[in-house]
C-alpha cells in the first residue's frame, strides 16, 4: 500500500489510436482484444473493487463482474463503486445481478431513485460535492475505511479526467487498439481543464500484446 489514507488507485481503459474510448455520442465500442479482456478480469479479481461513473452505467450498462471464463475458473464477489451525485443509476442495471456489494456515492440531499436503489441492493453514501461531481478524496477515504486496499478505476472519460486532474492515482494502463475513430464527438480518454495545462506522466512500459499495445504509466 502506497498511501494509507486511500486505496491504491489503478486507472485502466481501452483507447483508439486517436485517444477515443467510445463512439460518437458515447455509443459503446469494443476496443479490448480477448487478451486485454482477460487482463482486465484478472485485475478485477486481484483488486476486488472497481469504480465507474454513472455516465458509464447509463451508456454501457456494464456487468462489472469477474468472469470465470477469463480467470481460469476462479471468481470472487466484486465491490462495485459508482460515482453518482444525483442517483441516476437505474435500479434495474445489470450490475445488480452479479455478486458483490454496490456502493453508490452521491451528493447530500440527492433526489433520485433512493428507495429503489436500496431495494436493488445498493448502499448509498453521501459525500460532499467536488469538482465534476462528488468529492473524490472523500470517496477514497471512505473506501479505505471500509477496507478497500486497491481499486480499479475503469472510466469513463469524465471520471478518468477527475482522477488525473486531482493526481489521485498510482498507476495508469491504457490498451491502445489499432483503430481510428476519427470524430471529435467521441468521448476521449481524458478532458483536461485547458490545453495550457498538460498532464505529464512517466512512461514505464509499452508492450506489443495480442490485438494492440499496452501502455503502463505512473504519475
Ligand atoms: N474504453 C474504455 O475503457 C471505457 C471504459 C468505460 C467507459 N467508457 C466509455 O466512456 C463513456 C462514458 O464516459 P462519461 O464521461 O460520459 O461518463 P463517466 O465518466 O462514466 O461518468 C461521469 C459522471 O459521473 C458522475 N461523477 C460523480 N462524481 C464525479 C467526479 N468527481 N468526476 C467525474 N464524474 C463524476 C457525474 O455525473 P453526476 O453529476 O450525475 O454525478 C459525471 O457526469 C461511455 O461512452 C463509455 O462507453 C469507455
Amino acid at each position: 500500500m502506497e498511501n494509507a489514507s486511500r486505496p491504491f488507485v489503478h486507472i485502466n481503459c481501452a483507447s483508439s489510436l486517436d485517444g477515443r474510448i467510445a463512439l460518437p455520442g458515447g455509443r459503446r465500442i469494443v476496443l479490448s482484444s480477448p487478451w486485454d479482456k482477460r487482463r482486465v478480469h484478472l485485475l478485477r479479481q486481484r483488486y476486488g473493487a472497481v469504480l465507474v461513473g454513472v455516465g458509464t452505467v447509463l451508456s454501457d450498462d456494464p456487468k462489472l463482474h469477474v468472469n470465470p471464463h477469463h480467470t481460469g475458473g476462479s471468481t470472487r464477489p466484486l465491490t462495485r463503486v459508482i460515482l453518482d451525485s444525483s442517483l441516476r443509476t437505474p435500479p434495474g442495471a445489470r450490475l445488480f445481478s452479479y455478486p458483490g456489494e454496490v456502493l453508490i456515492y452521491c451528493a447530500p440531499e440527492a433526489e433520485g431513485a433512493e428507495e429503489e436503489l436500496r431495494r436493488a441492493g445498493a448502499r448509498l453514501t453521501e459525500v460532499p460535492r467536488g469538482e465534476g461531481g462528488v468529492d473524490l478524496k472523500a470517496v477514497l477515504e471512505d473506501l479505505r475505511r471500509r477496507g478497500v486496499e486497491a481499486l480499479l478505476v475503469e472510466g469513463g472519460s469524465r471520471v478518468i479526467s477527475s482522477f488525473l486532474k486531482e493526481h489521485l492515482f498510482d498507476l495508469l494502463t491504457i490498451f491502445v487498439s489499432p483503430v481510428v475513430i476519427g470524430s471529435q464527438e467521441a468521448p476521449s480518454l481524458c478532458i483536461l481543464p485547458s490545453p495550457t495545462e498538460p498532464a505529464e506522466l512517466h512512461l514505464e512500459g509499452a508492450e506489443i500484446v495480442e490485438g494492440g499495445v499496452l501502455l503502463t504509466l505512473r504519475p
Side-chain angles (χ1 to χ4, degrees):
M1 268 265 309
E2 301 191 1
N3 189 320
S5 68
R6 65 162 173 83
F8 178 87
V9 174
H10 179 165
I11 304 172
N12 180 75
C13 68
S15 162
S16 66
L17 282 178
D18 49 341
R20 306 287 160 176
I21 63 169
L23 293 171
R27 277 176 303 123
R28 186 166 176 265
I29 177 175
V30 177
L31 292 164
S32 286
S33 66
W35 179 92
D36 189 52
K37 276 192 191 144
R38 181 169 179 272
R39 182 184 65 86
V40 171
H41 281 266
L42 288 168
L43 284 175
R44 289 177 181 175
Q45 166 97 336
R46 169 140 62 100
Y47 293 149
V50 59
L51 179 148
V52 296
V54 64
T56 295
V57 177
L58 291 170
S59 64
D60 296 1
D61 195 12
K63 295 180 194 159
L64 295 180
H65 67 146
V66 176
N67 186 338
H69 170 73
H70 295 300
T71 57
S74 63
T75 186
R76 72 186 278 191
L78 194 60
T79 296
R80 280 75 51 80
V81 182
I82 306 170
L83 303 183
D84 181 8
S85 312
S86 348
L87 296 176
R88 292 187 291 144
T89 299
R94 288 199 295 181
L95 59 91
F96 288 110
S97 310
Y98 290 86
E101 56 183 353
V102 177
L103 307 177
I104 300 184
Y105 287 92
C106 60
E109 291 150 35
E111 287 179 8
E114 194 174 330
E115 277 317 308
E116 292 91 328
L117 285 168
R118 285 190 211 280
R119 272 202 297 277
R123 188 181 292 200
L124 312 187
T125 304
E126 287 185 4
V127 284
R129 286 188 182 276
E131 210 188 317
V134 292
D135 184 309
L136 288 189
K137 280 201 182 114
V139 170
L140 292 176
E141 281 168 12
D142 188 71
L143 287 172
R144 187 69 197 87
R145 277 194 296 273
R146 288 176 194 268
V148 173
E149 293 192 354
L151 178 69
L152 187 65
V153 173
E154 290 200 26
S157 188
R158 289 184 182 84
V159 161
I160 293 175
S161 303
S162 290
F163 276 90
L164 291 177
K165 270 184 227 170
E166 297 186 39
H167 305 283
L168 288 171
F169 70 104
D170 304 286
L171 182 62
L172 167 65
T173 47
I174 306 171
F175 174 82
V176 184
S177 168
V179 168
V180 175
I181 290 181
S183 165
Q184 289 185 340
E185 311 307 317
S188 71
L189 175 63
C190 173
I191 314 144
L192 283 167
S194 80
T196 53
E197 291 180 53
E200 252 185 64
L201 304 180
H202 175 70
L203 179 63
E204 200 174 82
E207 189 188 348
I208 296 180
V209 295
E210 181 214 282
V213 173
L214 182 68
L215 300 178
T216 303
L217 303 115
R218 300 258 176 196

